[in-house]
Amino acid sequence: MLFKCKICGGELEIKSGANIAQCPYCGTKQTLPRLDSERRANLYDRANHFRRNNDFDRALGLYEAILSEDNTDAEAHWSCVLCRFGIAYVEDPATHRRVPTCNRTLHTSIYMDADYQAALAHAQDSAQRQMYEEEARQIDALQKHILAVSSQEAPFDVFICYKETDAAGQRTPDSVLAGELYQELTDAGYKVFFSRITLEDKLGAAYEPYIFAALSTARVMVVIGTRPEYFTAVWVRNEWSRYLALIAQGEKKVLIPAYRDMDPYDLPEAFSHLQAQDMSKLGFMQDLLRGIEKIAPLPKAAADMPDVVARSAQPDTDALIRRLYLFLEDGEWQQAARYCEKVLDRDPESALAYVGRLMVALRVRFQDELADCALPFDDSSDYEKALRFGDAALKSQLQGYNQAIRNRIMDNRYTQAVQRMRKAQHAKDYLDAAEQLRALEGYRDADALAAQCAQAAEEARRETTYQHALQAQETDTLLSQEEALRQFESITDYRDSAARAADCRRRIDLLRDEKARQEYAAQQEEIRSAKMRVRKRIIAGIAIIVFALAAAGLFTLFTEILPARRLEETYTHAVEAFDAADYSTANRLFSELGDYRESEAYRAQIPWSSLQPGDLVLFGEWVQGKYNFSPAQAISWRILAQEDNKVLLLSEHVLAVKPFLDDDPKYASEWGNASIRTWLNEDFYMNAFTQDEQLSIVPFIPAVEDSGGSPDRVFLLSVEEAKTYLQVPSKAAIATATQQAAQFLFGNKETPPTRWWLRSRSDRALTSRIMLVNEDGNLSDGYPTFEEGIRPAIWVELEY
């Protein structure tokens, strides 16, 4: 089954039952879903497409649709985790490996995510589970780094959300309006997140800590747009959807949509409950500033304090600390962060201020709630400073909170492992439990339980093997008995496996003797049938001659009987060549005979591996008659080359007439953008071949300059391939059209040789013309929007 890489989108060839695969294009080793239906595979491909393009919300909806049908799909649970944390994979320039980056930071740990836990619980084997756990460790490290960086950022008052550039890379009107708003708000004294300026000295991969800090602290978000599609652009929606999620969680924040030159009814559905602002109205900026001032008033005390007093005075900080902790109780994170800085400006060694900063970063309202955090916080610089400057009692409290978190995590993991052990029924279940317990080395009795699980897994494995062997032994076929013997021999010391293995050997000997007798009898029957066919052909030939002589005389003998006799003689020679395994000769003669007698049936039995380049074979069906409603006929292909275990086929006739490109060629005239490429790999591929035939067609990757590196199932020859396989210019390259194709070229006339497209671009300077083969077999070129003949080419497996 074909499945697209969830990292780069390249096609993967998935073996049945595989849980892990490695992409041949990006080299990434990745977990696979259970692809038990074409519908599920299509859902995964569509969802992965959206996730690769950072459209995490649409992707999440599709993954949840998969889970609504099967809640035990580990890969769907894991994909939900990737969407929730906004994970995108980028190429590391040093190692060229794809590594995860986080675009949706959360305060909660990935280890506490319900979908992550479900992915581990439903993983198909330990290898798949290990890959989930390894990626979770990388994502957890990213989360901690982002939280650490964002905690050092001063809080923002307003977040301006907008689309910076259009599809052509030019600055949008939204960007200009956002810049004007930024200037007004900054002049008024607000700290504003405006990506064009705020992120101008940051690398693209390092944006998330600053975006997260701004989303977390800003009391107001203004979303600016002049087109509906700008409001729903991927990164714009990523920012405002995260902000709305914070509001839904109880954060005291306000989102203000601001639009211009568009109908307000075209705003996103998510804004339907919000009061939108029309930027084209007179006085819009003043109204918006007054509204923001009501929501996030600027503190006046610090602004009014003279610089000399602020520098010289060292007042007691108790009142400020009390205000700080009152703001924390109310969840006023922005004000609390400001008061932390006020205290530290007066006393840089205030342990309680550093505790306050830690509580702001972790969104904790009361100090003792630090013990309820999802992850330990001992890697926080604020925690380290609180221990450094705090007294013994404060140090003991903070260390106790941190240890309580660690103990709770260990308890949860221990409980999950023990529950998995108690519910285990199969070897895989015991091994999974043992792996979880070994990760808790030294904790309570985890080591002893891990050993018990390993022993139980071995016992379960032996019992499962024994039961499978018994089932195979009950089927009296050679294959089943051999399978039963193999399994009994792997557990010879278990129950009566040794005795049953001996019984399997005895039955295998008897079955092999019986098979040999049947094969000998079949050979004798084949010899007898061959002799009968020869006799019938001789009798049929004599009968034809006698009947013709009796009915017509000598003139009829020459005009009717002799051609029929020549057909019969050719047919006889073809059958004799087939019986003698001279398949190349037999194929040529049967091809000349067409549908005479059983010629096509014989021809279908000829193995392609015995044929030579230049021979014709039948494969697939296509309408070739004069009318559209004519029945489909077998397509005749000429073998051009044989490599390894596959053959290159070129249609003997022009099967269709199409332009190389539907659009203006000045924009794109390479094979990678050609409309005929889409038609060949979709319409023609799906209608000309059965499902089994489609599976036997080998994907072909043209040169990168032709296709962009993506594979084709059906393609056109390049100039170099035409020269190599057809020795162009040559008579071998001349082709006629089918009656169906000829309707578009010659009307109802006979079909003389016609031109046909190649996939190579003309090398003539300042031209976008495409190469083709002329009626006389010479190379030429043509304008890509003209209609010319199509001779499809395919690579097919020899076993077909």
Side-chain angles (χ1 to χ4, degrees):
M1 175 179 289
L2 285 178
F3 184 67
K4 291 185 179 179
C5 172
K6 66 182 182 182
I7 306 300
C8 70
E11 287 193 350
L12 303 177
E13 188 74 31
I14 305 302
K15 296 181 180 179
S16 178
N19 300 326
I20 294 175
Q22 186 165 8
C23 178
Y25 303 103
C26 67
T28 305
K29 190 176 181 182
Q30 57 195 272
T31 53
L32 297 172
R34 292 198 301 269
L35 300 177
D36 50 9
S37 70
E38 185 175 352
R39 178 179 179 276
R40 177 173 292 198
N42 290 336
L43 278 175
Y44 264 108
D45 277 340
R46 183 170 174 78
N48 289 342
H49 166 77
F50 287 131
R51 186 181 53 72
R52 285 193 300 271
N53 288 278
N54 301 313
D55 198 342
F56 301 112
D57 293 323
R58 294 177 70 181
L60 181 61
L62 290 171
Y63 293 129
E64 289 176 342
I66 295 172
L67 289 174
S68 68
E69 299 177 0
D70 180 7
N71 197 43
T72 65
D73 191 329
E75 186 66 13
H77 283 295
W78 175 247
S79 299
C80 287
V81 174
L82 297 181
C83 291
R84 195 167 293 117
F85 286 84
I87 302 301
Y89 293 85
V90 298
E91 185 176 356
D92 185 340
T95 63
H96 301 292
R97 294 176 60 249
R98 297 296 180 110
V99 296
T101 58
C102 182
N103 296 296
R104 287 189 167 187
T105 306
L106 302 175
H107 284 292
T108 55
S109 167
I110 188 174
Y111 296 122
M112 305 304 292
D113 188 274
D115 280 307
Y116 170 67
Q117 295 173 355
L120 295 184
H122 299 300
Q124 299 179 60
D125 54 29
S126 59
Q128 191 176 50
R129 184 176 300 99
Q130 287 176 357
M131 291 191 67
Y132 290 148
E133 291 175 339
E134 175 58 31
E135 282 204 53
R137 281 191 288 271
Q138 296 180 44
I139 295 170
D140 182 55
L142 282 173
Q143 286 275 106
K144 289 180 177 178
H145 170 72
I146 292 172
L147 290 172
V149 174
S150 63
S151 67
Q152 305 301 316
E153 285 293 297
F156 288 86
D157 299 308
V158 181
F159 190 115
I160 302 179
C161 176
Y162 68 100
K163 183 168 177 59
E164 175 66 28
T165 57
D166 58 20
Q170 301 298 315
R171 190 176 179 188
T172 62
D174 306 35
S175 173
V176 177
L177 293 170
E180 295 173 358
L181 177 59
Y182 169 79
Q183 193 62 51
E184 292 284 346
L185 292 171
T186 303
D187 291 346
Y190 287 100
K191 183 170 176 57
V192 183
F193 181 89
F194 175 46
S195 60
R196 184 178 182 84
I197 294 177
T198 310
L199 302 178
E200 64 181 346
D201 59 343
K202 309 294 190 302
L203 295 174
Y207 287 168
E208 175 58 18
Y210 307 100
I211 294 175
F212 175 71
L215 290 172
S216 302
T217 58
R219 289 286 303 277
V220 179
M221 172 181 277
V222 181
V223 186
I224 291 177
T226 58
R227 294 184 181 181
E229 61 267 26
Y230 287 173
F231 279 101
T232 56
V234 171
W235 289 113
V236 175
R237 186 172 64 248
N238 180 54
E239 291 174 352
W240 61 250
S241 66
R242 293 170 67 183
Y243 199 78
L244 286 178
L246 292 174
I247 296 174
Q249 294 168 12
E251 296 275 354
K252 294 182 178 180
K253 299 176 181 291
V254 175
L255 187 147
I256 303 174
Y259 65 92
R260 195 177 77 176
D261 302 332
M262 58 176 283
D263 193 323
Y265 291 103
D266 291 334
L267 290 170
E269 180 66 25
F271 294 170
S272 59
H273 66 291
L274 302 174
Q275 182 64 45
Q277 299 291 323
D278 185 352
M279 291 184 286
S280 63
K281 288 186 177 179
L282 190 64
F284 155 76
M285 191 65 73
Q286 290 74 18
D287 292 343
L288 182 61
L289 288 173
R290 282 197 297 272
I292 292 175
E293 187 175 359
K294 291 179 182 179
I295 300 167
L298 289 169
K300 297 181 179 178
D304 295 339
M305 183 181 294
D307 290 345
V308 176
V309 175
R311 287 197 301 270
S312 62
Q314 294 291 335
D316 185 72
T317 59
D318 287 349
L320 294 175
I321 291 176
R322 286 195 295 273
R323 288 292 305 279
L324 159 63
Y325 280 84
L326 287 173
F327 282 131
L328 287 171
E329 288 180 18
D330 294 337
E332 297 284 350
W333 310 117
Q334 181 178 340
Q335 295 289 0
R338 286 176 176 166
Y339 270 77
C340 286
E341 301 308 316
K342 286 184 179 183
V343 174
L344 291 174
D345 286 341
R346 290 159 176 75
D347 181 7
E349 297 183 357
S350 173
L352 290 176
Y354 287 112
V355 173
R357 285 179 56 165
L358 178 65
M359 293 169 66
V360 169
L362 298 176
R363 294 298 191 263
V364 172
R365 296 172 185 265
F366 300 95
Q367 185 173 306
D368 58 359
E369 290 180 355
L370 286 169
D372 299 328
C373 290
L375 294 174
F377 43 76
D378 49 4
D379 58 349
S380 166
S381 60
D382 290 322
Y383 172 77
E384 293 173 354
K385 290 185 177 68
L387 294 183
R388 177 181 172 187
F389 301 123
D391 57 22
L394 182 61
K395 290 181 183 178
S396 177
Q397 283 181 331
L398 293 176
Q399 290 171 340
Y401 298 150
N402 203 58
Q403 189 58 45
I405 296 171
R406 293 186 179 280
N407 292 341
R408 185 174 67 254
I409 291 174
M410 295 294 282
D411 282 340
N412 288 340
R413 293 179 181 176
Y414 176 84
T415 300
Q416 291 175 2
V418 171
Q419 289 176 349
R420 183 180 289 271
M421 175 182 175
R422 289 173 179 169
K423 294 179 180 179
Q425 296 180 348
H426 306 290
K428 175 181 176 298
D429 302 328
Y430 284 112
L431 289 174
D432 293 343
E435 185 179 353
Q436 286 185 303
L437 289 164
R438 280 194 290 270
L440 303 173
E441 183 179 4
Y443 184 74
R444 294 168 64 174
D445 59 343
D447 296 339
L449 291 178
Q452 291 179 24
C453 283
Q455 183 178 356
E458 178 59 18
E459 287 298 314
R461 183 194 69 80
R462 287 152 64 89
E463 177 61 24
T464 299
T465 302
Y466 182 82
Q467 293 299 330
H468 288 169
L470 284 180
Q471 292 178 3
Q473 190 181 31
E474 291 175 357
T475 303
D476 201 22
T477 64
L478 182 59
L479 185 62
S480 296
Q481 293 301 313
E482 289 174 342
E483 175 62 19
L485 175 61
R486 185 186 65 79
Q487 296 195 35
F488 280 132
E489 286 182 336
S490 69
I491 51 169
T492 52
D493 58 341
Y494 187 71
R495 294 172 64 171
D496 60 344
S497 295
R500 289 188 174 274
D503 183 58
C504 286
R505 293 189 195 96
R506 180 184 60 80
R507 297 171 75 176
I508 286 171
D509 290 340
L510 294 174
L511 289 168
R512 283 176 175 168
D513 290 344
E514 178 61 24
K515 182 179 179 181
R517 285 194 295 271
Q518 291 176 356
E519 289 176 348
Y520 177 78
Q523 290 174 356
Q524 295 301 312
E525 177 61 24
E526 178 61 26
I527 292 172
R528 187 189 67 80
S529 298
K531 292 178 178 178
M532 289 298 296
R533 287 197 297 271
V534 171
R535 293 193 188 101
K536 288 180 179 179
R537 287 196 291 270
I538 293 173
I539 293 171
I542 295 172
I544 291 173
I545 293 172
V546 171
F547 176 78
L549 289 172
L554 189 58
F555 178 77
T556 305
L557 175 66
F558 285 95
T559 58
E560 296 181 8
I561 299 179
L562 289 183
R565 181 178 178 183
R566 280 196 296 271
L567 285 174
E568 185 60 22
E569 287 176 351
T570 302
Y571 181 79
T572 301
H573 291 326
V575 172
E576 289 173 350
F578 180 90
D579 291 339
D582 183 4
Y583 294 122
S584 182
T585 300
N587 183 70
R588 178 177 55 78
L589 294 174
F590 283 131
S591 299
E592 295 173 359
L593 289 168
D595 59 354
Y596 181 74
R597 294 186 61 180
E598 299 176 349
S599 296
E600 291 188 351
Y602 271 103
R603 192 176 175 192
Q605 300 177 50
I606 295 175
W608 290 5
S609 58
S610 65
L611 301 179
Q612 303 296 322
D615 288 340
L616 298 177
V617 296
L618 300 177
F619 185 72
E621 290 186 342
W622 191 251
V623 174
Q624 301 174 54
K626 183 175 180 180
Y627 303 103
N628 290 333
F629 52 81
S630 300
Q633 297 172 273
I635 303 173
S636 180
W637 304 82
R638 186 168 297 278
I639 298 177
L640 297 186
Q642 179 176 334
E643 294 180 8
D644 299 326
N645 198 33
K646 59 184 181 179
V647 290
L648 175 61
L649 305 181
L650 176 70
S651 68
E652 179 67 1
H653 302 289
V654 168
L655 299 181
V657 177
K658 299 279 182 183
F660 187 90
L661 193 70
D662 289 334
D663 300 321
D664 192 325
K666 70 181 180 181
Y667 294 110
S669 56
E670 287 80 18
W671 172 246
N673 301 307
S675 54
I676 190 58
R677 184 189 190 196
T678 302
W679 181 82
L680 286 170
N681 284 276
E682 292 181 4
D683 294 359
F684 181 80
Y685 174 76
M686 295 303 297
N687 292 297
F689 307 111
T690 65
Q691 188 173 8
D692 288 341
E693 290 170 340
Q694 291 173 5
L695 291 174
S696 69
I697 297 175
V698 181
F700 168 69
I701 302 179
V704 173
E705 60 269 23
D706 289 340
S707 67
S710 59
D712 293 317
R713 294 288 186 177
V714 189
F715 54 98
L716 302 180
L717 295 182
S718 68
V719 168
E720 291 304 317
E721 290 165 349
K723 290 180 179 179
T724 300
Y725 300 125
L726 297 174
Q727 287 78 48
V728 173
S730 68
K731 291 183 178 180
I734 297 174
T736 58
T738 64
Q739 288 184 321
Q740 174 67 207
Q743 301 300 306
F744 300 91
L745 294 170
F746 314 108
N748 295 321
K749 299 178 181 178
E750 293 296 321
T751 59
T754 184
R755 305 202 307 176
W756 49 281
W757 286 119
L758 301 175
R759 72 170 186 271
S760 301
R761 186 171 180 171
S762 174
D763 58 2
R764 284 202 287 174
L766 302 177
T767 183
S768 57
R769 297 166 73 89
I770 303 300
M771 297 299 294
L772 45 74
V773 176
N774 270 341
E775 298 89 341
D776 58 0
N778 283 296
L779 288 174
S780 182
D781 59 21
Y783 203 69
T785 56
F786 287 177
E787 293 188 339
E788 302 290 356
I790 306 298
R791 292 184 73 182
I794 53 177
W795 282 97
V796 182
E797 293 176 347
L798 273 175
E799 292 84 355
Y800 177 79

Short mmCIF file of all heavy atoms in Angstrom, two decimals, residues 292-314:
data_model
loop_
_atom_site.label_atom_id
_atom_site.label_comp_id
_atom_site.label_asym_id
_atom_site.label_seq_id
_atom_site.Cartn_x
_atom_site.Cartn_y
_atom_site.Cartn_z
N ILE A 292 -8.93 50.15 24.70
CA ILE A 292 -7.79 49.41 25.27
C ILE A 292 -7.42 49.96 26.64
O ILE A 292 -7.08 49.22 27.56
CB ILE A 292 -6.59 49.47 24.29
CG1 ILE A 292 -6.91 48.68 23.02
CG2 ILE A 292 -5.32 48.95 24.95
CD1 ILE A 292 -5.86 48.77 21.94
N GLU A 293 -7.50 51.30 26.80
CA GLU A 293 -7.15 51.90 28.08
C GLU A 293 -8.10 51.44 29.19
O GLU A 293 -7.70 51.27 30.34
CB GLU A 293 -7.19 53.43 27.95
CG GLU A 293 -6.68 54.15 29.20
CD GLU A 293 -6.61 55.65 29.01
OE1 GLU A 293 -6.95 56.13 27.90
OE2 GLU A 293 -6.24 56.35 29.97
N LYS A 294 -9.38 51.21 28.83
CA LYS A 294 -10.32 50.70 29.83
C LYS A 294 -9.99 49.27 30.24
O LYS A 294 -10.14 48.89 31.40
CB LYS A 294 -11.74 50.76 29.27
CG LYS A 294 -12.28 52.18 29.09
CD LYS A 294 -13.70 52.14 28.52
CE LYS A 294 -14.22 53.55 28.29
NZ LYS A 294 -15.60 53.53 27.70
N ILE A 295 -9.55 48.48 29.24
CA ILE A 295 -9.26 47.07 29.53
C ILE A 295 -7.91 46.91 30.22
O ILE A 295 -7.77 46.13 31.17
CB ILE A 295 -9.26 46.27 28.20
CG1 ILE A 295 -10.62 46.36 27.53
CG2 ILE A 295 -8.90 44.81 28.47
CD1 ILE A 295 -10.63 45.88 26.09
N ALA A 296 -6.90 47.65 29.78
CA ALA A 296 -5.54 47.52 30.33
C ALA A 296 -5.00 48.91 30.65
O ALA A 296 -4.17 49.46 29.92
CB ALA A 296 -4.64 46.81 29.32
N PRO A 297 -5.46 49.52 31.76
CA PRO A 297 -4.99 50.85 32.11
C PRO A 297 -3.50 50.84 32.46
O PRO A 297 -2.99 49.89 33.05
CB PRO A 297 -5.84 51.23 33.33
CG PRO A 297 -6.28 49.93 33.91
CD PRO A 297 -6.43 48.99 32.74
N LEU A 298 -2.80 51.90 32.09
CA LEU A 298 -1.38 52.01 32.39
C LEU A 298 -1.18 52.39 33.86
O LEU A 298 -1.92 53.22 34.40
CB LEU A 298 -0.73 53.09 31.50
CG LEU A 298 -0.58 52.73 30.03
CD1 LEU A 298 -0.19 53.96 29.23
CD2 LEU A 298 0.47 51.65 29.86
N PRO A 299 -0.20 51.78 34.56
CA PRO A 299 0.08 52.19 35.95
C PRO A 299 0.67 53.61 35.96
O PRO A 299 1.53 53.94 35.15
CB PRO A 299 1.12 51.16 36.41
CG PRO A 299 1.75 50.66 35.16
CD PRO A 299 0.69 50.71 34.11
N LYS A 300 0.17 54.44 36.87
CA LYS A 300 0.60 55.84 36.89
C LYS A 300 1.65 56.12 37.95
O LYS A 300 2.44 57.04 37.82
CB LYS A 300 -0.60 56.75 37.11
CG LYS A 300 -1.63 56.67 35.99
CD LYS A 300 -2.79 57.60 36.23
CE LYS A 300 -3.80 57.52 35.09
NZ LYS A 300 -4.97 58.38 35.32
N ALA A 301 1.66 55.35 39.04
CA ALA A 301 2.55 55.69 40.14
C ALA A 301 4.00 55.69 39.70
O ALA A 301 4.75 56.62 39.97
CB ALA A 301 2.36 54.71 41.29
N ALA A 302 4.43 54.63 39.00
CA ALA A 302 5.82 54.56 38.58
C ALA A 302 6.15 55.64 37.57
O ALA A 302 7.23 56.22 37.59
CB ALA A 302 6.12 53.19 37.99
N ALA A 303 5.20 55.95 36.70
CA ALA A 303 5.46 56.96 35.68
C ALA A 303 5.59 58.35 36.29
O ALA A 303 6.34 59.19 35.82
CB ALA A 303 4.34 56.94 34.64
N ASP A 304 4.82 58.61 37.36
CA ASP A 304 4.83 59.94 37.97
C ASP A 304 6.01 60.15 38.91
O ASP A 304 6.27 61.27 39.36
CB ASP A 304 3.53 60.18 38.74
CG ASP A 304 2.34 60.20 37.78
OD1 ASP A 304 2.57 60.43 36.57
OD2 ASP A 304 1.21 59.98 38.24
N MET A 305 6.71 59.09 39.31
CA MET A 305 7.80 59.22 40.28
C MET A 305 9.01 59.86 39.63
O MET A 305 9.49 59.39 38.61
CB MET A 305 8.20 57.84 40.82
CG MET A 305 9.27 57.90 41.90
SD MET A 305 9.70 56.23 42.46
CE MET A 305 8.17 55.76 43.22
N PRO A 306 9.54 60.91 40.19
CA PRO A 306 10.74 61.55 39.61
C PRO A 306 11.91 60.60 39.61
O PRO A 306 12.05 59.78 40.52
CB PRO A 306 10.98 62.75 40.54
CG PRO A 306 9.68 62.98 41.26
CD PRO A 306 9.03 61.66 41.37
N ASP A 307 12.78 60.70 38.60
CA ASP A 307 13.92 59.78 38.47
C ASP A 307 14.85 59.87 39.67
O ASP A 307 15.36 58.86 40.15
CB ASP A 307 14.69 60.10 37.19
CG ASP A 307 13.89 59.72 35.96
OD1 ASP A 307 12.90 58.95 36.11
OD2 ASP A 307 14.25 60.17 34.87
N VAL A 308 15.04 61.06 40.19
CA VAL A 308 15.97 61.23 41.30
C VAL A 308 15.48 60.49 42.53
O VAL A 308 16.22 59.79 43.22
CB VAL A 308 16.17 62.73 41.62
CG1 VAL A 308 17.05 62.89 42.85
CG2 VAL A 308 16.78 63.43 40.43
N VAL A 309 14.16 60.61 42.79
CA VAL A 309 13.58 59.92 43.95
C VAL A 309 13.67 58.42 43.76
O VAL A 309 14.01 57.67 44.67
CB VAL A 309 12.11 60.36 44.14
CG1 VAL A 309 11.47 59.58 45.26
CG2 VAL A 309 12.06 61.86 44.42
N ALA A 310 13.34 57.95 42.55
CA ALA A 310 13.36 56.51 42.29
C ALA A 310 14.75 55.94 42.48
O ALA A 310 14.90 54.81 42.94
CB ALA A 310 12.88 56.24 40.86
N ARG A 311 15.78 56.73 42.15
CA ARG A 311 17.15 56.22 42.27
C ARG A 311 17.64 56.28 43.71
O ARG A 311 18.34 55.40 44.17
CB ARG A 311 18.09 57.03 41.38
CG ARG A 311 17.94 56.74 39.90
CD ARG A 311 19.16 57.25 39.13
NE ARG A 311 19.32 58.68 39.31
CZ ARG A 311 18.76 59.60 38.52
NH1 ARG A 311 18.00 59.21 37.51
NH2 ARG A 311 18.95 60.90 38.73
N SER A 312 17.25 57.31 44.43
CA SER A 312 17.82 57.51 45.76
C SER A 312 17.05 56.81 46.85
O SER A 312 17.63 56.38 47.84
CB SER A 312 17.90 59.02 46.05
OG SER A 312 16.60 59.58 46.05
N ALA A 313 15.70 56.68 46.72
CA ALA A 313 14.90 56.12 47.80
C ALA A 313 14.97 54.61 47.80
O ALA A 313 15.00 53.99 46.76
CB ALA A 313 13.45 56.58 47.66
N GLN A 314 14.98 53.98 48.96
CA GLN A 314 14.95 52.53 49.13
C GLN A 314 13.84 52.19 50.13
O GLN A 314 14.10 51.74 51.25
CB GLN A 314 16.31 52.02 49.63
CG GLN A 314 17.45 52.20 48.64
CD GLN A 314 17.29 51.31 47.44
OE1 GLN A 314 16.63 50.28 47.54
NE2 GLN A 314 17.88 51.69 46.32
#
